[in-house]
Amino acid sequence: MVDPLAEVVLLLQPTARFSKNVIGAGAWQVHRSDAGQPFYCAVLEGSCRLTLDGREPLVLEAGDFALVPAAFGVTMSSLEVPTDTANALPVELSPGIFRIGDAEKPIDLRILAGHCSFGSQDAALLVSLLPELVHVRGEERLATLVHLVGQESRERRPARELILTRLLEVLLIEALRSNASAASPPGLVRALTDARLAAAIRAMHEQPARPWTVIDLAKAAALSRTTFFERFSCAVGMAPMAYLLAWRMALAKDMLRRRKVAIADVAERVGYASASTFSVAFSRYVGKRPAQYARESEDASQS
């Protein structure tokens, strides 16, 4: 059976950028604005605050894991509000280990934190299907995975990049499914907690070339057309056919980047009767013709 969440994560192509161990003491604050750079943090000891721009502060405790798939503005600070709101400067004690806050006070916080990148040119679209913030409490598996990512990123061992890629894929999937609930923000994760909607989404992913209609998808979900449309739009944050189009184009772009499939075959695999019809739809959605997109992707990978 096709797993839509796993498919999205695999298409994102996550890679490790930076991972570090941080120990803290006293009052401190760090603000970063890394547009599009996913951020993750596991608290091993103590507590701290995490605030996303425009959201209420979240207290992270020992055993908590937080993931921000698209970090547009993240502030981390001690529970004690610092009188000086300027950014604190972490001091590197040894490779991959940093200290923040008052050097004279006893350590009251230990965290593993890092950034990763998404290699997919569809990252913005795919990330839009995920929650803005994933917060999981008491899942030791996640802390272990983050620890392994940090350890692997600091060591130059054979197959390092392959191991990091696989670890990050597992980390993202584990974090997202651990956070899945009907109360999650709109997106794929929330929709997959609804058994009726999950059936329709799996059907789209299993047969992207099928000429789906809203009525067909409603039948797959065992719902009336109106109920399905409203329930899907509310849970995912976009209409069913808009999601289907986005997924088809994400698949098409992935195949074109790999340059192993002829355009006519790509068209057939994503539900278009001819290469010309697909080309028109692709050009309207992406802003360039399939052949041009494939050529530019190949040039970018070789530069």
Side-chain angles (χ1 to χ4, degrees), residues 176-249:
L176 290 166
R177 72 179 186 179
S178 295
N179 189 66
S181 73
S184 301
L188 180 62
V189 174
R190 174 174 164 182
L192 290 175
T193 66
D194 184 322
R196 300 288 182 88
L197 298 183
I201 292 171
R202 281 196 299 270
M204 282 188 271
H205 281 247
E206 287 173 351
Q207 302 180 67
R210 179 173 169 174
W212 292 105
T213 64
V214 174
I215 293 176
D216 293 332
L217 293 169
K219 288 180 179 177
L223 295 169
S224 71
R225 181 187 183 281
T226 300
T227 300
F228 169 73
F229 183 89
E230 293 177 351
R231 197 151 141 183
F232 188 101
S233 301
C234 179
V236 180
M238 64 176 70
M241 301 312 288
Y243 177 88
L244 178 61
L245 175 61
W247 181 243
R248 284 172 167 170
M249 290 301 158

Side-chain angles (χ1 to χ4, degrees), residues 106-155:
I107 295 169
D108 55 24
L109 175 73
R110 296 179 187 273
I111 64 175
L112 293 168
H115 288 82
C116 59
S117 298
F118 294 141
S120 172
Q121 295 183 37
D122 273 326
L125 163 67
L126 297 169
V127 167
S128 72
L129 300 175
L130 307 179
E132 289 182 355
L133 171 65
V134 175
H135 175 219
V136 183
R137 177 155 287 170
E139 290 284 344
E140 293 184 7
R141 288 160 58 96
L142 288 170
T144 300
L145 285 167
V146 174
H147 176 74
L148 289 172
V149 169
Q151 185 181 63
E152 193 68 32
S153 66
R154 289 189 296 275
E155 298 179 5

Side-chain angles (χ1 to χ4, degrees), residues 44-63:
L44 304 182
E45 178 184 324
S47 303
C48 61
R49 293 181 189 273
L50 170 68
T51 307
L52 302 186
D53 289 349
R55 297 181 66 125
E56 291 297 314
L58 172 68
V59 174
L60 299 179
E61 303 172 351

Side-chain angles (χ1 to χ4, degrees), residues 28-104:
W28 54 272
Q29 175 177 282
V30 176
H31 178 79
R32 297 183 65 93
S33 182
D34 300 304
Q37 298 299 331
F39 168 81
Y40 56 86
C41 170
V43 181
L44 304 182
E45 178 184 324
S47 303
C48 61
R49 293 181 189 273
L50 170 68
T51 307
L52 302 186
D53 289 349
R55 297 181 66 125
E56 291 297 314
L58 172 68
V59 174
L60 299 179
E61 303 172 351
D64 283 11
F65 176 84
L67 167 69
V68 185
F72 48 89
V74 176
T75 299
M76 293 197 69
S77 67
S78 55
L79 293 183
E80 176 188 353
V81 179
T83 55
D84 182 1
T85 57
N87 272 359
L89 297 176
V91 177
E92 187 169 14
L93 303 179
S94 59
I97 300 178
F98 292 77
R99 177 164 182 144
I100 194 168
D102 192 334
E104 303 300 321

Side-chain angles (χ1 to χ4, degrees), residues 14-25:
T15 55
R17 280 187 58 244
F18 185 68
S19 180
K20 61 184 177 182
N21 287 264
V22 180
I23 56 178

